[in-house]
Amino acid sequence: MTLAARLALHPEFTVGETDPRIYGSFIEHLGRAVYTGIYEPAHPLADEQGFRKDVLEMVRELEVPIVRYPGGNFVSGYNWEDGIGPRDKRPKRLDLAWATVDPNWVGVDEFADWARRANAEVMMAVNLGTRDVDAARNLVEYCNHPSGTQWSDLRIANGHPEPHKIKTWCLGNEMDGPWQIGAKSAADYGKTALAAGRAMKAVDPGIELVACGSSSESMATFPDWEATILDHLYDVADYVSLHQYFSKNGWNDRRSEPYGTPSYVAQSVRLESFIKSVVASCDHVKARKRARKSMNLSFDEWNIWHRNPPSGVEIPRASIAPPLLEDVYTFEDVILFGSMMLALLRHCDRVKIGCLAQLVNVIAPIMTSANGPAWRQTTFYPFLHGSKYGRGTVLDTLVVSPSYETAEWGSVPYVDALAVLNRNRSGMTVFAVNRSETQPALLTADLAGFGAARGMTEHIVMDGHDKQAANTRETPHRVTPRSGGESKLDGNQLTATLTPFSWNVLRIALN
Ligand code: AHR
């Protein structure tokens, strides 16, 4: 039976404008993200600085505007000074977060160079685990101060006469997590981050700061953590962070059984309730402080993460760049991933920054083999579609859809959808997911409020694959999008068929 779904939308009912940084990503010194991921000097496609040009091309294709660096858990034990200056003098350090060795071949200068080539800004995290105010303010001085001081002159001596002009800074990473090196109580983190943040902004008043929120919605301390840290940090911070990963096998929910497909692909509803709760926490503190400013959200780690640790691979401890967290994404993952992205967009009035965690090799849309090719995972495509066609004004899109019951998350609509008007209002994109594995959905919308719509530009679809189908080195193009979905505009009436279990991008030309 065909499901009937209807969208109610009007150009005056808006959520807000997307901040380009909602399509950000993340590179950590973890596994092969940096070494043999973005950097591999011996690779035939390496540029003069050792960066892989094939990877750079794919990153540019995604139009990622900002990349968080260097961690993640890694940053909480990182001495940034280890990664600057002549390479042969840089120390090899034990990385306690991932039980590996970091040779420091890439540090802040090289990463800033890489990001420029990728057309992206750097979002820099400072170490508030083993270090504090001094290291943090010195790093801002090294990166952003023009010249004439110890650290800025050292950057110049290291071959970077121009400051890196890094605007967005994270005050540590997941400081509530018992796994974090130097994890802190909310009050201790609040005090340390306040001192560090004040000093960092004194060095460069133009920077923006992201305070660490809870490591996920399932932390026992969520949302008290947010309330306490914001009590300390409300004035100095510009954003509070959110992190969330979902898995099929349920490891991160401490389940012994994997989720069935219907519950698995419905988890974006959890993401939305997490966002709403963090917004409520921020607004509660705002009211208590009689503040004028609203705290915005930086969802700076989001993705699907199935395995922990990777199964079947024995990782020798203390090796350099072993394969860690190299999840292979399936077609089934596309359905959840697409809805997760829509959940962020639906709250773009508060979620200004999003970082798909991560970008290359580590739970990533782009995979490489050392000395071999790079390829796009299944989840590369919905992210590409969002980044290319999902910038502009997000419309408050009412979706009327039949739903199904899940044991874990209650009633969930089969169809998830969201419309984005492009910047010059010459076009609109409707993103739509059909979560039903067996039933097609007929999606209709009355576009009368938009003036006469000119016609369908394109209907891109990902559908019809085996749920477990994936792209690998051997079969890099097994799961890709196709053009030519079934949709039409009859006057102002939009009708589109969402095939069972599909991700859809409906591009509409407006007058
Ligand atoms: O992205 C992988 C890890 O997940 C990050 O290092 C950490 O911040 C999170 O727990």
Side-chain angles (χ1 to χ4, degrees):
M1 201 187 70
T2 301
L3 302 162
R6 185 167 55 82
L7 299 185
L9 23 110
H10 190 280
E12 282 170 17
F13 295 152
T14 64
V15 177
E17 297 296 306
T18 54
D19 186 313
R21 294 173 299 175
I22 205 163
Y23 294 109
S25 190
F26 177 29
I27 290 275
E28 177 168 1
H29 281 251
L30 192 186
R32 299 191 309 112
V34 175
Y35 309 116
T36 71
I38 63 168
Y39 177 80
E40 191 179 349
H43 193 277
L45 293 175
D47 67 11
E48 66 292 351
Q49 267 197 280
F51 298 125
R52 284 184 62 149
K53 288 191 274 193
D54 52 348
V55 174
L56 269 170
E57 240 166 65
M58 288 184 189
V59 175
R60 285 192 211 112
E61 185 183 344
L62 288 175
E63 296 179 35
V64 173
I66 191 164
V67 185
R68 185 164 172 255
Y69 174 86
N73 297 338
F74 171 82
V75 79
S76 298
Y78 183 51
N79 298 334
W80 65 266
E81 303 88 338
D82 291 345
I84 58 171
R87 271 212 180 87
D88 57 347
K89 301 239 166 19
R90 297 184 190 177
K92 289 195 170 65
R93 289 264 182 217
L94 261 188
D95 162 25
L96 304 181
W98 301 105
T100 56
V101 165
D102 195 294
N104 284 299
W105 295 324
V106 169
V108 295
D109 287 324
E110 290 83 14
F111 191 74
D113 289 343
W114 177 83
R116 257 188 296 278
R117 282 167 207 217
N119 301 327
E121 284 175 44
V122 177
M123 176 175 179
M124 185 71 81
V126 299
N127 174 355
L128 294 187
T130 59
R131 307 187 78 185
D132 54 25
V133 185
D134 205 37
R137 59 116 186 205
N138 290 344
L139 181 55
V140 179
E141 183 182 319
Y142 184 86
C143 291
N144 285 9
H145 196 71
S147 65
T149 65
Q150 179 192 348
W151 293 108
S152 58
D153 286 344
L154 186 57
R155 183 198 68 240
I156 294 168
N158 287 337
H160 288 80
E162 289 304 316
H164 296 316
K165 296 188 182 135
I166 296 173
K167 184 178 163 201
T168 317
W169 294 75
C170 303
L171 293 165
N173 176 69
E174 296 188 349
M175 297 307 302
D176 62 332
W179 58 88
Q180 201 68 211
I181 305 165
K184 295 182 176 19
S185 68
D188 286 350
Y189 170 69
K191 286 180 206 151
T192 306
L194 176 62
R198 280 188 176 149
M200 291 163 75
K201 281 196 167 172
V203 176
D204 181 352
I207 64 174
E208 292 189 335
L209 296 174
V210 183
C212 283
S214 297
S215 301
S216 76
E217 45 131 37
S218 55
M219 296 299 288
T221 46
F222 172 73
D224 292 342
W225 171 275
E226 276 72 4
T228 308
I229 63 128
L230 287 177
D231 220 19
H232 292 270
L233 296 170
Y234 204 87
D235 291 339
V236 80
D238 302 280
Y239 309 90
V240 65
S241 74
L242 295 84
H243 290 182
Q244 189 71 51
Y245 297 97
F246 295 129
S247 69
K248 173 86 185 194
N249 56 24
W251 72 266
N252 46 1
D253 287 328
R254 293 170 204 89
R255 278 170 66 103
S256 47
E257 287 293 303
Y259 288 107
T261 297
S263 293
Y264 173 59
V265 298
Q267 289 186 85
S268 55
V269 299
R270 293 173 73 185
L271 203 73
E272 278 209 68
S273 86
F274 184 26
I275 293 171
K276 286 181 188 160
S277 303
V278 175
V279 167
S281 296
C282 291
D283 291 349
H284 169 79
V285 178
K286 177 183 178 183
R288 213 171 53 210
K289 287 184 172 283
R290 314 290 191 264
R292 293 172 68 97
K293 153 176 127 179
S294 291
M295 184 65 60
N296 283 323
L297 275 48
S298 170
F299 214 128
D300 47 45
E301 290 190 32
W302 72 271
N303 203 350
I304 294 162
W305 178 0
H306 291 305
R307 289 168 300 175
N308 183 40
S311 57
V313 185
E314 266 305 305
I315 306 295
R317 283 181 71 84
S319 56
I320 295 175
L324 292 175
L325 281 54
E326 299 204 358
D327 278 30
V328 176
Y329 292 112
T330 63
F331 173 59
E332 185 179 35
D333 295 329
V334 166
I335 305 299
L336 171 59
F337 185 97
S339 295
M340 290 173 79
M341 194 173 65
L342 298 190
L344 299 192
L345 286 170
R346 199 167 284 123
H347 296 278
C348 75
D349 54 332
R350 299 298 286 272
V351 179
K352 300 293 170 186
I353 303 173
C355 298
L356 169 61
Q358 300 193 9
L359 188 54
V360 184
N361 285 336
V362 171
I363 43 175
I366 299 170
M367 297 300 291
T368 70
S369 47
N371 205 29
W375 63 96
R376 298 163 183 81
Q377 296 236 50
T378 58
T379 51
F380 182 97
Y381 296 103
F383 190 76
L384 174 75
H385 298 149
S387 181
K388 265 175 106 78
Y389 306 122
R391 297 181 195 226
T393 309
V394 173
L395 300 183
D396 197 353
T397 314
L398 177 71
V399 187
V400 183
S401 158
S403 351
Y404 61 99
E405 282 305 311
T406 63
E408 299 86 353
W409 338 115
S411 172
V412 175
Y414 280 111
V415 172
D416 183 15
L418 180 94
V420 183
L421 264 182
N422 71 12
R423 292 226 188 281
N424 58 18
R425 302 198 158 214
S426 61
M428 174 168 71
T429 303
V430 175
F431 299 98
V433 170
N434 180 2
R435 294 182 173 115
S436 169
E437 290 180 72
T438 50
Q439 296 159 283
L442 193 68
L443 184 72
T444 54
D446 182 347
L447 303 185
F450 296 82
R454 269 197 289 134
M456 293 298 305
T457 307
E458 195 180 12
H459 177 173
I460 305 168
V461 199
M462 293 183 78
D463 66 353
H465 298 280
D466 182 281
K467 276 192 290 184
Q468 295 318 310
N471 297 336
T472 60
R473 182 188 162 139
E474 290 69 37
T475 57
H477 305 296
R478 184 155 173 219
V479 181
T480 54
R482 66 179 174 91
S483 249
E486 208 180 294
S487 52
K488 65 171 190 222
L489 255 177
D490 207 349
N492 292 316
Q493 298 305 309
L494 170 70
T495 313
T497 300
L498 311 179
T499 46
F501 218 56
S502 62
W503 162 253
N504 300 265
V505 183
L506 303 163
R507 299 182 55 219
I508 298 155
L510 302 173
N511 278 320

